[in-house]
Short mmCIF file of all heavy atoms in Angstrom, two decimals:
data_model
loop_
_atom_site.label_atom_id
_atom_site.label_comp_id
_atom_site.label_asym_id
_atom_site.label_seq_id
_atom_site.Cartn_x
_atom_site.Cartn_y
_atom_site.Cartn_z
N MET A 27 15.31 12.49 -2.15
CA MET A 27 15.26 11.95 -0.82
C MET A 27 16.61 11.29 -0.53
O MET A 27 16.94 10.28 -1.12
CB MET A 27 14.16 10.91 -0.70
CG MET A 27 12.77 11.49 -0.71
SD MET A 27 11.52 10.21 -0.65
CE MET A 27 11.28 9.95 -2.40
N ALA A 28 17.32 11.85 0.36
CA ALA A 28 18.62 11.31 0.72
C ALA A 28 18.51 10.59 2.06
O ALA A 28 17.66 10.90 2.89
CB ALA A 28 19.65 12.43 0.82
N THR A 29 19.36 9.60 2.25
CA THR A 29 19.43 8.88 3.51
C THR A 29 20.89 8.57 3.80
O THR A 29 21.73 8.63 2.90
CB THR A 29 18.56 7.60 3.46
OG1 THR A 29 18.51 7.01 4.74
CG2 THR A 29 19.06 6.61 2.44
N THR A 30 21.20 8.24 5.02
CA THR A 30 22.58 8.00 5.43
C THR A 30 22.84 6.51 5.58
O THR A 30 22.01 5.77 6.11
CB THR A 30 22.86 8.70 6.78
OG1 THR A 30 22.56 10.09 6.63
CG2 THR A 30 24.30 8.55 7.20
N VAL A 31 24.00 6.07 5.13
CA VAL A 31 24.40 4.66 5.26
C VAL A 31 25.04 4.49 6.64
O VAL A 31 25.90 5.27 7.03
CB VAL A 31 25.40 4.28 4.15
CG1 VAL A 31 25.84 2.84 4.30
CG2 VAL A 31 24.79 4.52 2.78
N THR A 32 24.63 3.43 7.36
CA THR A 32 25.22 3.16 8.68
C THR A 32 26.55 2.44 8.51
O THR A 32 26.94 2.05 7.40
CB THR A 32 24.29 2.25 9.51
OG1 THR A 32 24.24 0.95 8.91
CG2 THR A 32 22.89 2.83 9.62
N ALA A 33 27.25 2.24 9.62
CA ALA A 33 28.54 1.55 9.59
C ALA A 33 28.38 0.11 9.09
O ALA A 33 29.32 -0.47 8.54
CB ALA A 33 29.15 1.55 11.00
N LYS A 34 27.19 -0.47 9.25
CA LYS A 34 26.92 -1.82 8.77
C LYS A 34 26.48 -1.86 7.31
O LYS A 34 26.16 -2.92 6.78
CB LYS A 34 25.83 -2.47 9.62
CG LYS A 34 26.22 -2.77 11.04
CD LYS A 34 24.99 -3.29 11.74
CE LYS A 34 25.29 -4.36 12.74
NZ LYS A 34 24.07 -4.92 13.33
N GLY A 35 26.40 -0.71 6.66
CA GLY A 35 25.97 -0.65 5.27
C GLY A 35 24.46 -0.64 5.11
O GLY A 35 23.94 -0.90 4.03
N GLN A 36 23.74 -0.32 6.16
CA GLN A 36 22.28 -0.31 6.12
C GLN A 36 21.77 1.11 5.88
O GLN A 36 22.40 2.08 6.26
CB GLN A 36 21.71 -0.83 7.44
CG GLN A 36 22.12 -2.25 7.74
CD GLN A 36 21.74 -2.67 9.16
OE1 GLN A 36 21.66 -1.84 10.06
NE2 GLN A 36 21.51 -3.95 9.33
N VAL A 37 20.61 1.17 5.25
CA VAL A 37 19.93 2.46 5.05
C VAL A 37 18.47 2.30 5.42
O VAL A 37 17.92 1.20 5.39
CB VAL A 37 20.02 2.96 3.59
CG1 VAL A 37 21.45 3.25 3.20
CG2 VAL A 37 19.39 1.98 2.64
N THR A 38 17.84 3.40 5.76
CA THR A 38 16.40 3.42 6.00
C THR A 38 15.74 3.87 4.71
O THR A 38 16.08 4.92 4.16
CB THR A 38 16.05 4.38 7.14
OG1 THR A 38 16.70 3.93 8.33
CG2 THR A 38 14.55 4.45 7.37
N ILE A 39 14.79 3.08 4.24
CA ILE A 39 14.04 3.46 3.04
C ILE A 39 13.05 4.54 3.46
O ILE A 39 12.26 4.32 4.39
CB ILE A 39 13.30 2.24 2.44
CG1 ILE A 39 14.29 1.14 2.08
CG2 ILE A 39 12.49 2.67 1.21
CD1 ILE A 39 13.63 -0.18 1.73
N PRO A 40 13.08 5.69 2.81
CA PRO A 40 12.17 6.77 3.20
C PRO A 40 10.71 6.32 3.17
O PRO A 40 10.30 5.50 2.34
CB PRO A 40 12.43 7.85 2.15
CG PRO A 40 13.83 7.58 1.68
CD PRO A 40 13.96 6.09 1.72
N LYS A 41 9.92 6.85 4.08
CA LYS A 41 8.52 6.46 4.22
C LYS A 41 7.75 6.65 2.93
O LYS A 41 6.93 5.79 2.57
CB LYS A 41 7.86 7.25 5.36
CG LYS A 41 6.40 6.85 5.57
CD LYS A 41 5.84 7.42 6.81
CE LYS A 41 4.39 7.10 7.09
NZ LYS A 41 3.69 6.18 6.29
N ARG A 42 7.97 7.73 2.22
CA ARG A 42 7.25 7.96 0.97
C ARG A 42 7.52 6.85 -0.03
O ARG A 42 6.62 6.42 -0.75
CB ARG A 42 7.62 9.31 0.37
CG ARG A 42 7.01 10.46 1.12
CD ARG A 42 7.30 11.83 0.60
NE ARG A 42 7.70 11.93 -0.79
CZ ARG A 42 8.33 12.97 -1.30
NH1 ARG A 42 8.63 14.00 -0.54
NH2 ARG A 42 8.67 13.00 -2.56
N VAL A 43 8.76 6.34 -0.06
CA VAL A 43 9.10 5.25 -0.98
C VAL A 43 8.46 3.95 -0.49
O VAL A 43 7.90 3.19 -1.28
CB VAL A 43 10.64 5.10 -1.09
CG1 VAL A 43 11.01 3.89 -1.93
CG2 VAL A 43 11.26 6.36 -1.66
N ARG A 44 8.53 3.68 0.82
CA ARG A 44 7.90 2.47 1.37
C ARG A 44 6.41 2.46 1.07
O ARG A 44 5.86 1.44 0.65
CB ARG A 44 8.13 2.37 2.88
CG ARG A 44 9.56 2.12 3.27
CD ARG A 44 9.69 1.77 4.75
NE ARG A 44 8.91 2.57 5.66
CZ ARG A 44 9.37 3.62 6.33
NH1 ARG A 44 10.61 4.02 6.18
NH2 ARG A 44 8.58 4.28 7.16
N ASP A 45 5.76 3.59 1.29
CA ASP A 45 4.32 3.69 1.03
C ASP A 45 4.02 3.47 -0.45
O ASP A 45 3.09 2.75 -0.81
CB ASP A 45 3.76 5.03 1.48
CG ASP A 45 3.75 5.18 3.00
OD1 ASP A 45 3.92 4.17 3.71
OD2 ASP A 45 3.57 6.33 3.46
N PHE A 46 4.81 4.09 -1.31
CA PHE A 46 4.60 3.98 -2.76
C PHE A 46 4.74 2.54 -3.24
O PHE A 46 3.96 2.06 -4.06
CB PHE A 46 5.59 4.89 -3.50
CG PHE A 46 5.47 4.79 -5.00
CD1 PHE A 46 4.41 5.39 -5.66
CD2 PHE A 46 6.41 4.10 -5.74
CE1 PHE A 46 4.30 5.29 -7.04
CE2 PHE A 46 6.30 4.00 -7.11
CZ PHE A 46 5.25 4.60 -7.77
N LEU A 47 5.74 1.82 -2.72
CA LEU A 47 5.99 0.44 -3.14
C LEU A 47 5.21 -0.58 -2.32
O LEU A 47 5.21 -1.76 -2.65
CB LEU A 47 7.49 0.12 -3.05
CG LEU A 47 8.40 0.89 -4.01
CD1 LEU A 47 9.86 0.55 -3.75
CD2 LEU A 47 8.03 0.56 -5.46
N GLY A 48 4.55 -0.14 -1.26
CA GLY A 48 3.82 -1.08 -0.42
C GLY A 48 4.75 -1.95 0.42
O GLY A 48 4.43 -3.09 0.73
N ILE A 49 5.89 -1.42 0.80
CA ILE A 49 6.87 -2.16 1.60
C ILE A 49 6.50 -2.03 3.07
O ILE A 49 6.35 -0.93 3.58
CB ILE A 49 8.30 -1.65 1.34
CG1 ILE A 49 8.69 -1.90 -0.11
CG2 ILE A 49 9.29 -2.29 2.30
CD1 ILE A 49 10.00 -1.24 -0.51
N VAL A 50 6.34 -3.18 3.72
CA VAL A 50 6.02 -3.23 5.14
C VAL A 50 7.06 -4.10 5.82
O VAL A 50 7.83 -4.81 5.15
CB VAL A 50 4.60 -3.80 5.36
CG1 VAL A 50 3.54 -2.88 4.77
CG2 VAL A 50 4.47 -5.19 4.78
N PRO A 51 7.13 -4.08 7.16
CA PRO A 51 8.10 -4.95 7.83
C PRO A 51 7.94 -6.40 7.37
O PRO A 51 6.85 -6.94 7.26
CB PRO A 51 7.73 -4.81 9.32
CG PRO A 51 7.16 -3.43 9.40
CD PRO A 51 6.39 -3.26 8.11
N GLY A 52 9.05 -7.01 7.03
CA GLY A 52 9.06 -8.39 6.53
C GLY A 52 9.05 -8.48 5.01
O GLY A 52 9.26 -9.56 4.45
N SER A 53 8.80 -7.37 4.32
CA SER A 53 8.83 -7.38 2.85
C SER A 53 10.26 -7.61 2.37
O SER A 53 11.21 -7.20 3.01
CB SER A 53 8.36 -6.04 2.28
OG SER A 53 7.01 -5.80 2.59
N GLN A 54 10.37 -8.27 1.22
CA GLN A 54 11.67 -8.45 0.61
C GLN A 54 11.77 -7.51 -0.58
O GLN A 54 10.78 -7.26 -1.27
CB GLN A 54 11.87 -9.89 0.16
CG GLN A 54 11.98 -10.84 1.33
CD GLN A 54 12.37 -12.23 0.87
OE1 GLN A 54 12.37 -12.54 -0.31
NE2 GLN A 54 12.72 -13.07 1.81
N VAL A 55 12.96 -6.97 -0.80
CA VAL A 55 13.18 -6.05 -1.90
C VAL A 55 14.35 -6.55 -2.75
O VAL A 55 15.21 -7.29 -2.28
CB VAL A 55 13.47 -4.61 -1.41
CG1 VAL A 55 12.26 -4.04 -0.68
CG2 VAL A 55 14.67 -4.55 -0.52
N ASP A 56 14.35 -6.15 -4.01
CA ASP A 56 15.43 -6.46 -4.94
C ASP A 56 16.05 -5.15 -5.40
O ASP A 56 15.37 -4.14 -5.52
CB ASP A 56 14.90 -7.18 -6.18
CG ASP A 56 14.63 -8.65 -5.96
OD1 ASP A 56 15.26 -9.25 -5.08
OD2 ASP A 56 13.76 -9.19 -6.67
N PHE A 57 17.36 -5.20 -5.66
CA PHE A 57 18.07 -4.07 -6.25
C PHE A 57 18.53 -4.51 -7.63
O PHE A 57 19.11 -5.57 -7.79
CB PHE A 57 19.29 -3.69 -5.38
CG PHE A 57 18.91 -3.20 -4.02
CD1 PHE A 57 18.84 -4.08 -2.94
CD2 PHE A 57 18.64 -1.87 -3.79
CE1 PHE A 57 18.50 -3.64 -1.68
CE2 PHE A 57 18.30 -1.41 -2.53
CZ PHE A 57 18.23 -2.30 -1.47
N HIS A 58 18.23 -3.70 -8.63
CA HIS A 58 18.64 -3.99 -10.01
C HIS A 58 19.46 -2.83 -10.53
O HIS A 58 19.15 -1.67 -10.30
CB HIS A 58 17.41 -4.18 -10.91
CG HIS A 58 16.57 -5.35 -10.54
ND1 HIS A 58 16.88 -6.63 -10.92
CD2 HIS A 58 15.44 -5.43 -9.82
CE1 HIS A 58 15.96 -7.46 -10.44
NE2 HIS A 58 15.08 -6.75 -9.76
N ARG A 59 20.52 -3.18 -11.24
CA ARG A 59 21.36 -2.16 -11.85
C ARG A 59 20.86 -1.90 -13.26
O ARG A 59 20.77 -2.83 -14.07
CB ARG A 59 22.81 -2.61 -11.87
CG ARG A 59 23.74 -1.52 -12.30
CD ARG A 59 25.17 -1.92 -12.05
NE ARG A 59 25.99 -1.27 -13.04
CZ ARG A 59 27.12 -1.73 -13.50
NH1 ARG A 59 27.58 -2.87 -13.04
NH2 ARG A 59 27.79 -1.08 -14.39
N ALA A 60 20.54 -0.67 -13.55
CA ALA A 60 20.06 -0.29 -14.88
C ALA A 60 21.24 -0.06 -15.81
O ALA A 60 22.39 0.06 -15.37
CB ALA A 60 19.21 0.98 -14.77
N ALA A 61 20.95 0.00 -17.10
CA ALA A 61 21.99 0.18 -18.11
C ALA A 61 22.76 1.48 -17.92
O ALA A 61 23.95 1.55 -18.22
CB ALA A 61 21.36 0.15 -19.51
N ASP A 62 22.11 2.50 -17.37
CA ASP A 62 22.78 3.78 -17.19
C ASP A 62 23.59 3.84 -15.89
O ASP A 62 24.16 4.86 -15.54
CB ASP A 62 21.78 4.93 -17.23
CG ASP A 62 20.78 4.90 -16.08
OD1 ASP A 62 20.83 3.98 -15.25
OD2 ASP A 62 19.93 5.81 -16.02
N GLY A 63 23.63 2.73 -15.14
CA GLY A 63 24.41 2.67 -13.91
C GLY A 63 23.62 2.99 -12.66
O GLY A 63 24.11 2.81 -11.55
N SER A 64 22.38 3.43 -12.82
CA SER A 64 21.57 3.70 -11.64
C SER A 64 21.08 2.38 -11.05
O SER A 64 21.11 1.34 -11.69
CB SER A 64 20.38 4.60 -12.00
OG SER A 64 19.54 3.95 -12.94
N VAL A 65 20.66 2.44 -9.80
CA VAL A 65 20.17 1.26 -9.11
C VAL A 65 18.68 1.44 -8.85
O VAL A 65 18.23 2.49 -8.42
CB VAL A 65 20.93 1.05 -7.78
CG1 VAL A 65 20.36 -0.14 -7.03
CG2 VAL A 65 22.41 0.84 -8.06
N ILE A 66 17.91 0.39 -9.13
CA ILE A 66 16.46 0.43 -8.99
C ILE A 66 16.05 -0.48 -7.84
O ILE A 66 16.50 -1.62 -7.75
CB ILE A 66 15.79 -0.04 -10.29
CG1 ILE A 66 16.20 0.88 -11.45
CG2 ILE A 66 14.27 -0.09 -10.13
CD1 ILE A 66 15.82 0.35 -12.80
N LEU A 67 15.22 0.04 -6.95
CA LEU A 67 14.69 -0.72 -5.83
C LEU A 67 13.29 -1.21 -6.21
O LEU A 67 12.45 -0.43 -6.63
CB LEU A 67 14.60 0.17 -4.58
CG LEU A 67 13.86 -0.39 -3.38
CD1 LEU A 67 14.63 -1.56 -2.78
CD2 LEU A 67 13.65 0.69 -2.34
N MET A 68 13.07 -2.54 -6.07
CA MET A 68 11.76 -3.12 -6.40
C MET A 68 11.36 -4.09 -5.30
O MET A 68 12.21 -4.64 -4.62
CB MET A 68 11.83 -3.90 -7.72
CG MET A 68 12.18 -3.07 -8.92
SD MET A 68 12.37 -4.06 -10.41
CE MET A 68 10.80 -4.89 -10.51
N ARG A 69 10.06 -4.30 -5.16
CA ARG A 69 9.59 -5.36 -4.27
C ARG A 69 9.98 -6.70 -4.88
O ARG A 69 9.84 -6.91 -6.08
CB ARG A 69 8.08 -5.30 -4.12
CG ARG A 69 7.62 -4.17 -3.24
CD ARG A 69 6.13 -4.15 -3.12
NE ARG A 69 5.61 -5.42 -2.62
CZ ARG A 69 4.45 -5.54 -2.01
NH1 ARG A 69 3.70 -4.49 -1.83
NH2 ARG A 69 4.04 -6.71 -1.59
N ALA A 70 10.46 -7.62 -4.06
CA ALA A 70 10.89 -8.92 -4.55
C ALA A 70 9.71 -9.76 -5.04
O ALA A 70 9.86 -10.56 -5.95
CB ALA A 70 11.67 -9.67 -3.48
N ASP A 71 8.54 -9.59 -4.44
CA ASP A 71 7.38 -10.39 -4.83
C ASP A 71 6.68 -9.84 -6.06
O ASP A 71 5.75 -10.42 -6.57
CB ASP A 71 6.40 -10.55 -3.68
CG ASP A 71 5.87 -9.22 -3.17
OD1 ASP A 71 6.09 -8.18 -3.82
OD2 ASP A 71 5.24 -9.22 -2.11
N ARG A 72 7.12 -8.69 -6.53
CA ARG A 72 6.62 -8.03 -7.74
C ARG A 72 5.14 -7.67 -7.67
O ARG A 72 4.51 -7.42 -8.67
CB ARG A 72 6.89 -8.89 -8.98
CG ARG A 72 8.32 -9.33 -9.08
CD ARG A 72 8.85 -9.15 -10.46
NE ARG A 72 10.14 -9.81 -10.63
CZ ARG A 72 11.31 -9.29 -10.34
NH1 ARG A 72 11.37 -8.09 -9.83
NH2 ARG A 72 12.43 -9.93 -10.54
N LYS A 73 4.57 -7.69 -6.48
CA LYS A 73 3.17 -7.27 -6.33
C LYS A 73 3.10 -5.76 -6.47
O LYS A 73 3.96 -5.05 -5.98
CB LYS A 73 2.62 -7.66 -4.96
CG LYS A 73 2.37 -9.12 -4.79
CD LYS A 73 1.77 -9.38 -3.42
CE LYS A 73 1.59 -10.85 -3.17
NZ LYS A 73 1.14 -11.11 -1.80
N ARG A 74 2.05 -5.31 -7.13
CA ARG A 74 1.84 -3.88 -7.21
C ARG A 74 1.15 -3.43 -5.93
O ARG A 74 0.22 -4.08 -5.47
CB ARG A 74 0.96 -3.54 -8.41
CG ARG A 74 1.62 -3.87 -9.73
CD ARG A 74 0.76 -3.48 -10.89
NE ARG A 74 0.52 -2.05 -10.85
CZ ARG A 74 -0.54 -1.48 -11.37
NH1 ARG A 74 -1.45 -2.18 -11.97
NH2 ARG A 74 -0.69 -0.17 -11.30
N PRO A 75 1.59 -2.34 -5.35
CA PRO A 75 0.89 -1.84 -4.16
C PRO A 75 -0.53 -1.41 -4.51
O PRO A 75 -0.80 -1.01 -5.64
CB PRO A 75 1.74 -0.65 -3.72
CG PRO A 75 2.51 -0.25 -4.93
CD PRO A 75 2.69 -1.49 -5.77
N ALA A 76 -1.41 -1.52 -3.55
CA ALA A 76 -2.79 -1.10 -3.75
C ALA A 76 -2.83 0.40 -3.97
O ALA A 76 -2.15 1.16 -3.28
CB ALA A 76 -3.64 -1.49 -2.55
N SER A 77 -3.64 0.82 -4.93
CA SER A 77 -3.78 2.25 -5.16
C SER A 77 -4.58 2.85 -4.02
O SER A 77 -5.23 2.15 -3.24
CB SER A 77 -4.50 2.51 -6.49
OG SER A 77 -5.88 2.23 -6.36
N ARG A 78 -4.58 4.15 -3.94
CA ARG A 78 -5.34 4.80 -2.87
C ARG A 78 -6.82 4.51 -3.01
O ARG A 78 -7.55 4.49 -2.03
CB ARG A 78 -5.07 6.30 -2.86
CG ARG A 78 -5.45 6.99 -4.13
CD ARG A 78 -5.07 8.45 -4.09
NE ARG A 78 -5.30 9.04 -5.40
CZ ARG A 78 -5.16 10.28 -5.66
NH1 ARG A 78 -4.79 11.11 -4.71
NH2 ARG A 78 -5.37 10.75 -6.86
N PHE A 79 -7.29 4.22 -4.22
CA PHE A 79 -8.69 3.90 -4.42
C PHE A 79 -8.98 2.45 -4.04
O PHE A 79 -10.03 2.15 -3.48
CB PHE A 79 -9.11 4.17 -5.87
CG PHE A 79 -8.93 5.60 -6.26
CD1 PHE A 79 -7.94 5.97 -7.15
CD2 PHE A 79 -9.73 6.59 -5.71
CE1 PHE A 79 -7.76 7.30 -7.49
CE2 PHE A 79 -9.56 7.92 -6.05
CZ PHE A 79 -8.56 8.27 -6.94
N GLU A 80 -8.05 1.55 -4.34
CA GLU A 80 -8.23 0.15 -3.95
C GLU A 80 -8.26 0.00 -2.44
O GLU A 80 -8.96 -0.86 -1.92
CB GLU A 80 -7.11 -0.71 -4.54
CG GLU A 80 -7.21 -0.88 -6.04
CD GLU A 80 -6.01 -1.57 -6.64
OE1 GLU A 80 -4.87 -1.28 -6.21
OE2 GLU A 80 -6.21 -2.41 -7.52
N LYS A 81 -7.53 0.83 -1.73
CA LYS A 81 -7.54 0.78 -0.27
C LYS A 81 -8.91 1.16 0.29
O LYS A 81 -9.29 0.71 1.36
CB LYS A 81 -6.48 1.70 0.31
CG LYS A 81 -5.06 1.25 0.05
CD LYS A 81 -4.07 2.25 0.60
CE LYS A 81 -2.65 1.86 0.24
NZ LYS A 81 -1.68 2.86 0.69
N LEU A 82 -9.65 1.99 -0.43
CA LEU A 82 -10.97 2.44 0.02
C LEU A 82 -12.08 1.48 -0.39
O LEU A 82 -13.18 1.52 0.17
CB LEU A 82 -11.27 3.83 -0.56
CG LEU A 82 -10.33 4.94 -0.12
CD1 LEU A 82 -10.64 6.21 -0.89
CD2 LEU A 82 -10.45 5.17 1.37
N ARG A 83 -11.81 0.61 -1.35
CA ARG A 83 -12.82 -0.31 -1.86
C ARG A 83 -13.11 -1.38 -0.83
O ARG A 83 -12.23 -1.89 -0.17
CB ARG A 83 -12.32 -0.95 -3.15
CG ARG A 83 -13.35 -1.82 -3.83
CD ARG A 83 -12.82 -2.38 -5.11
NE ARG A 83 -12.50 -1.31 -6.03
CZ ARG A 83 -11.48 -1.34 -6.89
NH1 ARG A 83 -10.71 -2.38 -6.94
NH2 ARG A 83 -11.26 -0.33 -7.69
N GLY A 84 -14.34 -1.74 -0.70
CA GLY A 84 -14.67 -2.80 0.23
C GLY A 84 -16.17 -2.86 0.48
O GLY A 84 -16.97 -2.26 -0.25
N HIS A 85 -16.52 -3.52 1.50
CA HIS A 85 -17.93 -3.71 1.85
C HIS A 85 -18.10 -3.22 3.28
O HIS A 85 -17.29 -3.52 4.15
CB HIS A 85 -18.29 -5.19 1.74
CG HIS A 85 -19.75 -5.44 1.88
ND1 HIS A 85 -20.35 -5.63 3.09
CD2 HIS A 85 -20.73 -5.51 0.94
CE1 HIS A 85 -21.64 -5.83 2.90
NE2 HIS A 85 -21.90 -5.75 1.61
N ALA A 86 -19.14 -2.50 3.51
CA ALA A 86 -19.38 -1.93 4.83
C ALA A 86 -19.88 -2.96 5.83
O ALA A 86 -19.99 -2.68 7.00
CB ALA A 86 -20.38 -0.78 4.72
N GLY A 87 -20.14 -4.16 5.36
CA GLY A 87 -20.64 -5.20 6.26
C GLY A 87 -22.15 -5.33 6.13
O GLY A 87 -22.81 -4.61 5.38
N LYS A 88 -22.69 -6.24 6.88
CA LYS A 88 -24.13 -6.47 6.82
C LYS A 88 -24.84 -5.31 7.50
O LYS A 88 -24.59 -4.98 8.64
CB LYS A 88 -24.48 -7.78 7.51
CG LYS A 88 -25.91 -8.15 7.35
CD LYS A 88 -26.16 -9.56 7.77
CE LYS A 88 -27.64 -9.83 7.64
NZ LYS A 88 -27.93 -11.10 7.09
N GLY A 89 -25.70 -4.70 6.77
CA GLY A 89 -26.41 -3.54 7.30
C GLY A 89 -27.88 -3.85 7.49
O GLY A 89 -28.28 -5.00 7.64
N LEU A 90 -28.66 -2.83 7.46
CA LEU A 90 -30.11 -2.98 7.62
C LEU A 90 -30.73 -3.50 6.33
O LEU A 90 -30.32 -3.12 5.24
CB LEU A 90 -30.74 -1.63 7.97
CG LEU A 90 -30.29 -0.97 9.27
CD1 LEU A 90 -30.88 0.42 9.37
CD2 LEU A 90 -30.70 -1.82 10.45
N GLY A 91 -31.74 -4.32 6.48
CA GLY A 91 -32.49 -4.80 5.34
C GLY A 91 -33.48 -3.74 4.88
O GLY A 91 -33.71 -2.72 5.54
N THR A 92 -34.11 -4.02 3.75
CA THR A 92 -35.06 -3.07 3.18
C THR A 92 -36.21 -2.79 4.14
O THR A 92 -36.62 -1.63 4.32
CB THR A 92 -35.62 -3.61 1.85
OG1 THR A 92 -34.52 -3.90 0.98
CG2 THR A 92 -36.54 -2.61 1.18
N ASP A 93 -36.75 -3.84 4.75
CA ASP A 93 -37.88 -3.65 5.68
C ASP A 93 -37.48 -2.77 6.87
O ASP A 93 -38.25 -1.90 7.29
CB ASP A 93 -38.40 -5.00 6.18
CG ASP A 93 -39.07 -5.80 5.06
OD1 ASP A 93 -39.57 -5.17 4.10
OD2 ASP A 93 -39.07 -7.05 5.16
N ALA A 94 -36.28 -2.97 7.40
CA ALA A 94 -35.83 -2.17 8.54
C ALA A 94 -35.62 -0.72 8.14
O ALA A 94 -35.96 0.20 8.89
CB ALA A 94 -34.54 -2.75 9.10
N ILE A 95 -35.09 -0.50 6.95
CA ILE A 95 -34.89 0.87 6.47
C ILE A 95 -36.24 1.56 6.28
O ILE A 95 -36.42 2.72 6.66
CB ILE A 95 -34.07 0.87 5.16
CG1 ILE A 95 -32.64 0.41 5.43
CG2 ILE A 95 -34.08 2.27 4.51
CD1 ILE A 95 -31.81 0.18 4.20
N MET A 96 -37.18 0.85 5.69
CA MET A 96 -38.52 1.43 5.49
C MET A 96 -39.18 1.75 6.82
O MET A 96 -39.85 2.78 6.98
CB MET A 96 -39.40 0.49 4.66
CG MET A 96 -38.90 0.32 3.22
SD MET A 96 -38.71 1.86 2.33
CE MET A 96 -40.39 2.38 2.17
N ALA A 97 -39.01 0.87 7.83
CA ALA A 97 -39.59 1.11 9.16
C ALA A 97 -38.97 2.37 9.78
O ALA A 97 -39.68 3.18 10.38
CB ALA A 97 -39.38 -0.11 10.04
N LEU A 98 -37.66 2.52 9.63
CA LEU A 98 -37.01 3.72 10.16
C LEU A 98 -37.52 4.97 9.45
O LEU A 98 -37.75 6.01 10.08
CB LEU A 98 -35.49 3.62 9.98
CG LEU A 98 -34.76 2.72 10.97
CD1 LEU A 98 -33.30 2.55 10.54
CD2 LEU A 98 -34.83 3.29 12.37
N THR A 99 -37.69 4.87 8.14
CA THR A 99 -38.16 6.00 7.35
C THR A 99 -39.57 6.42 7.78
O THR A 99 -39.88 7.61 7.86
CB THR A 99 -38.16 5.64 5.85
OG1 THR A 99 -36.86 5.21 5.47
CG2 THR A 99 -38.58 6.80 4.99
N ARG A 100 -40.37 5.45 8.10
CA ARG A 100 -41.76 5.73 8.50
C ARG A 100 -41.87 6.07 9.98
O ARG A 100 -42.96 6.39 10.45
CB ARG A 100 -42.64 4.51 8.20
CG ARG A 100 -42.77 4.21 6.74
CD ARG A 100 -43.63 2.98 6.49
NE ARG A 100 -43.61 2.63 5.10
CZ ARG A 100 -43.36 1.42 4.61
NH1 ARG A 100 -43.13 0.41 5.43
NH2 ARG A 100 -43.37 1.21 3.32
N GLY A 101 -40.79 5.93 10.73
CA GLY A 101 -40.81 6.22 12.15
C GLY A 101 -41.49 5.13 12.95
O GLY A 101 -42.07 5.37 14.01
N GLU A 102 -41.41 3.90 12.50
CA GLU A 102 -42.07 2.77 13.14
C GLU A 102 -41.20 2.06 14.15
O GLU A 102 -41.56 0.99 14.62
CB GLU A 102 -42.53 1.76 12.07
CG GLU A 102 -43.53 2.33 11.09
CD GLU A 102 -43.85 1.39 9.97
OE1 GLU A 102 -43.25 0.30 9.90
OE2 GLU A 102 -44.70 1.74 9.14
N THR A 103 -40.08 2.60 14.51
CA THR A 103 -39.20 1.89 15.45
C THR A 103 -39.35 2.39 16.85
O THR A 103 -39.83 3.43 17.15
CB THR A 103 -37.72 2.02 15.06
OG1 THR A 103 -37.39 3.40 14.98
CG2 THR A 103 -37.45 1.30 13.78
#
């Protein structure tokens, strides 16, 4: 994934990288130089982004109680 540096030295982080790292507007990032000379981009808060499964986890909210479900099943509504 290549990107272009602007005259101000700014770059746009590709969407796939932002999504992978969980970077959103206002996020802070760190750049680290590795021993081999490469540069590593990391979130400054070191939080791990939510996995695709964690994003789906949750509660559907308050639903029907057992009595209401049984009434629907019996056609009593």
Side-chain angles (χ1 to χ4, degrees):
M27 288 177 269
T29 187
T30 303
V31 179
T32 68
K34 292 175 144 184
Q36 299 170 332
V37 296
T38 299
I39 301 169
K41 181 170 179 7
R42 286 181 22 199
V43 175
R44 292 191 316 263
D45 291 346
F46 178 75
L47 294 176
I49 296 171
V50 295
S53 295
Q54 292 188 349
V55 296
D56 282 333
F57 296 92
H58 296 279
R59 189 169 150 209
D62 65 358
S64 62
V65 177
I66 300 168
L67 170 68
M68 298 176 57
R69 285 180 57 156
D71 59 11
R72 309 225 191 274
K73 288 183 184 174
R74 294 182 61 206
S77 74
R78 60 184 172 175
F79 300 109
E80 289 172 319
K81 291 177 185 177
L82 298 173
R83 185 178 298 145
H85 189 272
K88 186 167 177 138
L90 298 173
T92 305
D93 292 334
I95 293 171
M96 294 305 292
L98 283 172
T99 304
R100 294 179 186 129
E102 298 174 357
T103 56

